Amino acid sequence: MTTVNQSIKPAQTAAPKASKARVLIAVMLFVTVVINYMDRANLSIAVPSITQEFSLSPAEQGLLLSAFGWTYAALQLPGGWLVDRVRPQVLYASCLILWSLATVFMGMAGGFVALIVLRLLVGGFEAPAYPINNKVATSWFPERERATAIAFYTSGQFIGLALLTPVLSWLQTVLSWHWVFIVTGAVGILWGIFWYFTYRAPKQMKLANEAEIELIRNGGGLVDLENTSTEKRKFSWSDARTVLSKRKLWGIYLGQFCLTSTLWFFLTWFPTYLVSYRGMDYIKSGFLASLPFIAALIGVLISGLVSDWMVRRGKSLGVARKSPIIIGLLLSTAMIGANFTDNTALVIMFMSIAFFGNGLASITWSLVSALAPQRLIGLTGGMFNFIGNLSSIATPIAIGLLVSKTSFAPAFVYMTVITILGVLSYVLLVGKVERVTE
């Protein structure tokens, strides 16, 4: 009898259930992205009022709107190098507080030059943000959950803007454009402090048990990434050559430039288009400008869920990751329809379809996770974000030069051509999705 009891006793001992600490990490990334994009888009809300106060031409508006992109793009590679060396707990908290301080001071700026300089600082301090996001996601999420996690935190850029655009427009109307920057900057400073005291790597997070760590590791998550990548190694040009010499990586670099061109149109010129070319007031334009962001939010959530569902159903990573991106880019060409109607409802419909497509395509960071050499995830992410966010410079300036005081049509032609080039990049250059070897 004793023998029988001893034989069944081990079977009665249940394996420990995996904790859900990675859910908290996903929420923290989501909130950080909301703040990140709030501080990118606040200028687009304020720029019509700034234009009136400082008498800016369309070209000057384009220069001001592009200032973020100059330093943001230029510092992607140094930012990616830092991501490979400095723990996300420290680096992200520092960046959050510094770019938020620059944002607060924008609300106190008394001239065009001061705004340009401070906007350059915001772009520079935000440069490491998305490579950090990608590093955290690669550390914390198994492959079958990663696209959903990336889609969830990426949705922060859309849901934050959808909800906050009307609020910030109202704040500007009630107080002034200065308070748009002061309030958004203060929120970022508080969140940077919270991040520093809360975020930890998987093995250092007390809320994550061994079962969860094993679940992440066995599913392809790199739970030791933050520990191994903080070695004090010098920058190597051979590493740079590696991430610049692979056709697959160039496919996602160029595709990201084309994808983010649409995003930067909505982050910079879209509110001005509604106010100056469609004759709307600030409150109405704030509400209507939020509708495409809601559509983009729906698109990005669908994209992540469907992509991971396809992975679980046995589809290749290439099919599961690239299909939503290519379909989304094709839908983004719908904005050209705005050139053929004067009906405001139809214009908003075309913009919403286009931005839904942009959201659907916004799981591109999942390809960085899948393709980047393991040792160079930060540098690859930096290169990906550098080339992709050259659009943050090109789009505002190109539109400022193409449009006239009475016609915005050339801008939509430009955006459509760029988007089609993005489709060709993913179809012809990326090929089979598999990790690049050094």
Side-chain angles (χ1 to χ4, degrees), residues 47-58:
V47 80
S49 294
I50 292 172
T51 297
Q52 291 180 353
E53 183 169 329
F54 298 121
S55 302
L56 304 183
S57 67

Side-chain angles (χ1 to χ4, degrees), residues 329-395:
L329 285 167
L330 290 172
L331 289 174
S332 292
T333 62
M335 69 169 59
I336 194 70
N339 281 354
F340 302 98
T341 181
D342 290 323
N343 186 296
T344 298
L346 287 177
V347 168
I348 296 300
M349 182 190 75
F350 286 130
M351 295 297 111
S352 296
I353 292 172
F355 217 21
F356 170 84
N358 189 265
L360 195 67
S362 291
I363 59 165
T364 48
W365 276 97
S366 65
L367 289 178
V368 179
S369 294
L371 293 173
Q374 180 173 327
R375 188 177 61 86
L376 301 174
I377 286 178
L379 187 60
T380 304
M383 186 66 71
F384 175 80
N385 226 20
F386 165 66
I387 295 173
N389 278 283
L390 289 176
S391 63
S392 64
I393 302 170
T395 301

Side-chain angles (χ1 to χ4, degrees), residues 158-182:
F158 302 120
I159 193 170
L161 294 172
L163 297 177
L164 294 174
T165 296
V167 173
L168 295 179
S169 298
W170 170 83
L171 183 65
Q172 176 179 244
T173 302
V174 173
L175 297 174
S176 69
W177 64 265
H178 304 273
W179 284 95
V180 173
F181 298 104
I182 294 171

Side-chain angles (χ1 to χ4, degrees), residues 105-421:
F105 284 118
M106 283 190 71
M108 305 174 187
F112 177 66
V113 174
L115 285 169
I116 289 280
V117 171
L118 288 166
R119 194 64 173 171
L120 289 169
L121 290 175
V122 174
F125 289 128
E126 282 201 24
Y130 261 72
I132 297 174
N133 293 344
N134 186 59
K135 182 174 183 177
V136 171
T138 305
S139 298
W140 268 99
F141 296 94
E143 189 66 58
R144 68 176 183 273
E145 296 178 2
R146 195 171 299 150
T148 299
I150 291 172
F152 174 68
Y153 74 67
T154 301
S155 73
Q157 69 192 47
F158 302 120
I159 193 170
L161 294 172
L163 297 177
L164 294 174
T165 296
V167 173
L168 295 179
S169 298
W170 170 83
L171 183 65
Q172 176 179 244
T173 302
V174 173
L175 297 174
S176 69
W177 64 265
H178 304 273
W179 284 95
V180 173
F181 298 104
I182 294 171
V183 170
T184 53
V187 171
I189 291 170
L190 293 174
W191 184 253
I193 295 170
F194 177 83
W195 177 277
Y196 177 79
F197 285 105
T198 305
Y199 178 80
R200 296 292 185 274
K203 288 186 175 181
Q204 282 72 53
M205 176 70 81
K206 292 181 179 179
L207 296 176
N209 62 13
E210 285 296 326
E212 181 174 17
I213 292 172
E214 284 304 308
L215 184 151
I216 297 168
R217 179 188 287 113
N218 294 337
L222 305 181
V223 295
D224 296 309
L225 180 62
E226 293 184 27
N227 298 326
T228 59
S229 61
T230 54
E231 298 171 0
K232 304 301 182 182
R233 59 177 182 271
K234 296 181 179 180
F235 175 81
S236 168
W237 284 108
S238 65
D239 291 345
R241 284 194 295 271
T242 297
V243 301
L244 281 171
S245 63
K246 308 297 183 180
R247 175 180 55 83
K248 292 178 185 295
L249 297 182
W250 271 106
I252 60 174
Y253 298 158
L254 296 177
Q256 186 70 355
F257 173 88
C258 299
L259 174 70
T260 55
S261 293
T262 298
L263 175 62
W264 279 102
F265 161 71
F266 281 98
L267 290 176
T268 56
W269 276 101
F270 186 48
T272 299
Y273 167 68
L274 295 179
V275 171
S276 301
Y277 293 85
R278 289 288 168 178
M280 300 178 191
D281 59 46
Y282 293 121
I283 298 296
K284 184 177 181 181
S285 67
F287 170 73
L288 291 178
S290 71
L291 296 180
F293 288 106
I294 294 172
L297 166 65
I298 296 170
V300 73
L301 292 177
I302 290 174
S303 180
L305 292 170
V306 170
S307 182
D308 278 348
W309 176 81
M310 285 193 284
V311 171
R312 289 192 294 269
R313 296 280 292 185
K315 299 295 184 182
S316 69
L317 275 181
V319 171
R321 303 310 194 214
K322 288 199 297 182
S323 296
I325 296 171
I326 292 170
I327 293 170
L329 285 167
L330 290 172
L331 289 174
S332 292
T333 62
M335 69 169 59
I336 194 70
N339 281 354
F340 302 98
T341 181
D342 290 323
N343 186 296
T344 298
L346 287 177
V347 168
I348 296 300
M349 182 190 75
F350 286 130
M351 295 297 111
S352 296
I353 292 172
F355 217 21
F356 170 84
N358 189 265
L360 195 67
S362 291
I363 59 165
T364 48
W365 276 97
S366 65
L367 289 178
V368 179
S369 294
L371 293 173
Q374 180 173 327
R375 188 177 61 86
L376 301 174
I377 286 178
L379 187 60
T380 304
M383 186 66 71
F384 175 80
N385 226 20
F386 165 66
I387 295 173
N389 278 283
L390 289 176
S391 63
S392 64
I393 302 170
T395 301
I397 291 178
I399 291 177
L401 294 174
L402 287 170
V403 302
S404 65
K405 290 186 177 181
T406 57
S407 176
F408 205 81
F412 293 126
V413 174
Y414 169 80
M415 296 303 306
T416 302
V417 171
I418 290 293
T419 303
I420 292 172
L421 292 176

